[in-house]
Amino acid sequence: MGRLHVTLEEAAQMKYSTTALTLLTVALTGCGSGDAAEANAAGEATPVMFAIADADLPSILVYKAATCGCCEGWVDHLRAAGFDVDARNVQDLMVVKRDAGVPGAVMSCHTALIDGYVVEGHGPAEQIKAMLASRPAITGIGVPGMPTGSPGMEGPGAKPYQVISWDRQGNAAVFADIDPR
């Protein structure tokens, strides 16, 4: 039997439940050419395993300006990471930010809502996934400003930046240090 390769896009289009995909992974890993079984035994994710994990991601609602190219870049980054994105162009982002409780020091060019959390600015998909997995008692995470090298702001001159978390009491903390170089 040959190898089976499933892209994230193909997996998202499948109508299988997580249980069916799990059974498929077990069956294919056990009867594959050996490489997939060895990767699985070593704890490495195979393409099918990524599909299972991403199938469980909640949808993310992104509020942005219609004319912002970096916002589109961030939406593309989220989709590539397996998120189902509902991107909405709005006239007044400040109303969205105020209603979501985004602190002024964390504000950036777009605001997203996902599974009870707020994501402000150019936060990496992996940090959003980490927040969703750990379910911390915070309001959200954000990347203040528009740092070069953050998702949607790729280009030469990338610099380290921080992902900041905040809660309803106004307490802020570093959620992650990111070095895109």
Side-chain angles (χ1 to χ4, degrees):
M1 177 178 229
R3 288 184 178 189
L4 172 68
H5 294 277
V6 178
T7 66
L8 291 176
E9 184 175 303
E10 292 167 333
Q13 293 173 355
M14 293 179 183
K15 300 296 182 192
Y16 297 115
S17 68
T18 302
T19 304
L21 284 173
T22 302
L23 293 172
L24 178 64
T25 301
V26 171
L28 292 174
T29 303
C31 64
S33 64
D35 291 343
E38 290 169 18
N40 191 21
E44 298 172 18
T46 63
V48 173
M49 291 170 77
F50 276 125
I52 292 169
D54 290 342
D56 291 335
L57 288 173
S59 295
I60 186 166
L61 175 58
V62 179
Y63 293 99
K64 63 182 197 61
T67 58
C68 187
C70 67
C71 294
E72 285 299 323
W74 188 68
V75 166
D76 291 343
H77 165 75
L78 293 177
R79 287 184 175 133
F83 286 97
D84 176 34
V85 181
D86 177 1
R88 298 183 186 177
N89 296 325
V90 296
Q91 295 296 319
D92 191 354
L93 279 167
M94 290 308 292
V95 171
V96 173
K97 294 173 188 309
R98 184 193 67 227
D99 291 350
V102 178
V106 181
M107 287 185 183
S108 185
C109 59
H110 52 263
T111 303
L113 305 175
I114 182 167
D115 205 27
Y117 289 102
V118 179
V119 178
E120 178 69 11
H122 294 271
E126 290 308 311
Q127 297 308 315
I128 298 169
K129 290 177 181 180
M131 176 184 66
L132 293 171
S134 64
R135 307 289 307 166
I138 60 174
T139 301
I141 58 174
V143 175
M146 299 167 65
T148 303
S150 61
M153 294 294 298
E154 295 86 356
K159 297 178 181 159
Y161 62 93
Q162 293 181 322
V163 177
I164 306 298
S165 66
W166 74 92
D167 63 20
R168 296 208 185 281
Q169 290 74 40
N171 300 309
V174 175
F175 187 80
D177 288 298
I178 309 294
D179 190 343
R181 298 175 290 179

